[in-house]
Amino acid sequence: SNPLADNMAVMRTSLLPGLLNALKFNANRQHERVRLFEIGATYHRQASGFNEVQRLSGVLTGPRVSSQWGVENTQNVDFYDVKADLEAVLSLTGHKNPIIFNEFEHIALHPGQQCLLTRNISSNEPASSEGLQELGWLGRLHPTLEKQIGVSSVFAFELNLQSALSAKLPAFESVSKFPSIKRDLSVVVRDDLPVAHLTDALRSDLGNSLSKVELFDVYRGKGVAEGSISVSLSLVLQNTDKTMTDEEAEQLQGAALRILQDKFNAELRS
């Protein structure tokens, strides 16, 4: 009701505009590599009035690393750099379930370079929509906005501070003294299928025998039909009470393939 300035006559619903103004201010003063973040309140209208939410937001642009001898800094930060940084920060909360990155549409972000961050907070796997907690979003700024502020390749994120950084006390788990076995699995799926859906299904259905599953290769091109993509996953298999045999590993690899075939119509890449 009594703003300090004309442009502060409304309550903010996002921290992003203020950060973009700060980024533009730095870029206009020849700072090519900018990393900014802010923790603050945003305000949202509800049926019963207004809701105040504490958020953590950030913007990034420019070279991936700062100038230093012996290191090339010609490559700019990209979507996966920011994604990895957020995963590293959120892993410190002690939650065992991985962060899920799903498709998302935000008016301020670049189509195809944005995602919604959620976490499965239910004890039952696989994750259902009821058991997913929304943490925030991540993406590249829309080209129209990049042109407006005069800076290209700007990436931003905004998290709900309470849900994203709520900590869980870690519990001790004994480390298996038995060796693990690594198996690779390459399947062809439709190209609009998030890889997180594949890995979540394997973690859920293979249980404790699957120690780790990671994406290590994505291929489009000759030998793969249009509209499809080849995804290669690394499966780390391990027992906690006995040494896993090659035969058991082969059975688990076959089970993993059947899971992906049944749930996602995946085909084994020959």
Side-chain angles (χ1 to χ4, degrees), residues 157-178:
F157 64 87
E158 190 160 88
L159 305 177
N160 182 309
L161 195 64
Q162 182 176 358
S163 59
L165 298 185
S166 64
K168 183 176 181 180
L169 187 66
F172 171 78
E173 291 184 1
S174 60
V175 178
S176 177
K177 61 181 180 180
F178 301 99

Side-chain angles (χ1 to χ4, degrees), residues 15 40-44 51-55 159-162:
L15 305 182
T42 61
Y43 302 87
H44 311 272
N51 183 33
E52 178 180 319
V53 179
Q54 292 293 323
R55 297 191 182 276
L159 305 177
N160 182 309
L161 195 64
Q162 182 176 358

Side-chain angles (χ1 to χ4, degrees), residues 250-261:
E250 295 295 336
Q251 292 175 351
L252 287 169
Q253 184 179 14
L257 176 60
R258 289 191 294 273
I259 291 168
L260 301 183
Q261 289 173 331

Side-chain angles (χ1 to χ4, degrees), residues 79-80 83 99-104 112 114-116 118 132 187-203 213 215 217-218 220 227-233 260 263-264 266:
F79 178 90
Y80 294 103
K83 177 176 178 286
I99 302 300
I100 302 171
F101 297 85
N102 282 328
E103 297 160 304
F104 185 54
Q114 53 183 289
C115 64
L116 181 71
T118 58
L132 290 180
V187 293
V188 178
V189 296
R190 67 178 195 273
D191 60 4
D192 62 346
L193 179 67
V195 174
H197 292 185
L198 306 179
T199 56
D200 288 346
L202 293 179
R203 290 190 187 98
V213 54
L215 171 72
D217 186 59
V218 173
R220 295 181 177 90
S228 297
I229 190 172
S230 172
V231 175
S232 296
L233 301 173
L260 301 183
K263 292 189 174 184
F264 308 105

